[in-house]
Amino acid sequence: EVDRMASLVNNLLQFSRRSHRQVSTVDPREEITNSVEFVHYHLRTHKIEVVREFVDSLPTIQADRQQLRQLFLNLLTNASDAMPQGGKLTVRAAADRLGETPAVALEFADTGEGITAGNLEKIWGPFFTTKPEGRGTGLGMGICRRIVEEHAGTISIQSEGTGRGTTVRIVLPATDDGAARGVSI
């Protein structure tokens, strides 16, 4: 219980405080790959197959690496929690637009339990969770939204309801069009 309380307090502090960001040019595919590798053992032991669908020529973004990792790790663990019997998590990265601005679209699509229509809007509120007691604080998606908005992006969740999986889509402004690099991960 002490560990759980420490985790809750830490999440509350992260939710409320605005720390000094260290923004740099980032390849989002690299950060997603690093995040997946970080939780690879957990995903493998929970029988979750991760499929990466990254375009070859992806623009870079201006972002704080630590905040991006926090964002991606939260989405990966949420997807894992939504698939207690295992499943497939597809991670996509492609060029997109955010209004008139070149952007990068990132999607995390799981084959898990899904989210009921009544819970789709509640998910962004602080302390809302559908996880069992002791498993979630209800701060994760609020923190995710704040991170994305601080990076001038958008985040949305689509779910067809219970048993149909969930897709989280993030769109962040790009620093370039990606054509010059053509690096593939």
Side-chain angles (χ1 to χ4, degrees):
E1 285 301 307
V2 170
D3 289 340
R4 192 173 77 74
M5 288 301 294
S7 176
L8 177 61
V9 169
N10 185 41
N11 285 335
L12 275 169
L13 290 172
Q14 286 181 354
F15 185 75
S16 64
R17 102 177 78 151
R18 308 271 183 203
S19 61
H20 177 69
R21 295 184 345 168
Q22 294 182 330
V23 177
S24 60
T25 302
V26 175
D27 182 340
R29 295 170 300 189
E30 184 179 317
E31 293 308 316
I32 291 171
T33 298
N34 289 341
S35 298
V36 168
E37 287 175 7
F38 186 73
V39 293
H40 173 74
Y41 178 78
H42 172 79
L43 296 171
R44 191 185 68 200
T45 58
H46 287 83
K47 300 180 182 120
I48 296 170
E49 173 192 7
V50 178
V51 177
R52 296 177 204 155
E53 296 177 358
F54 298 159
V55 296
D56 288 339
S57 183
L58 188 72
T60 56
I61 59 174
Q62 288 292 311
D64 180 295
R65 285 182 198 277
Q66 289 304 110
Q67 287 187 326
L68 272 190
R69 288 179 187 152
Q70 181 179 5
L71 170 69
F72 297 154
L73 288 172
N74 188 48
L75 295 176
L76 291 167
T77 54
N78 279 355
S80 171
D81 290 346
M83 299 183 283
Q85 307 304 316
K88 182 173 160 183
L89 173 60
T90 305
V91 184
R92 297 179 186 96
D96 202 340
R97 298 208 66 79
L98 195 57
E100 296 297 315
T101 308
V104 174
L106 309 171
E107 288 187 355
F108 293 75
D110 68 58
T111 59
E113 298 170 349
I115 303 168
T116 64
N119 286 339
L120 270 175
E121 273 308 307
K122 293 179 190 173
I123 225 158
W124 303 112
F127 305 110
F128 178 80
T129 184
T130 59
K131 296 177 185 177
E133 188 174 330
R135 292 272 313 178
T137 60
L139 295 172
M141 291 311 294
I143 291 171
C144 287
R145 178 183 248 176
R146 190 192 80 208
I147 290 170
V148 170
E149 288 175 352
E150 285 180 357
H151 286 84
T154 62
I155 183 170
S156 60
I157 298 178
Q158 180 181 17
S159 184
E160 301 298 320
T162 307
R164 299 224 172 149
T166 301
T167 300
V168 177
R169 179 177 170 82
I170 299 161
V171 182
L172 298 168
T175 56
D176 61 29
D177 64 7
R181 289 187 346 275
V183 177
S184 179
I185 295 179

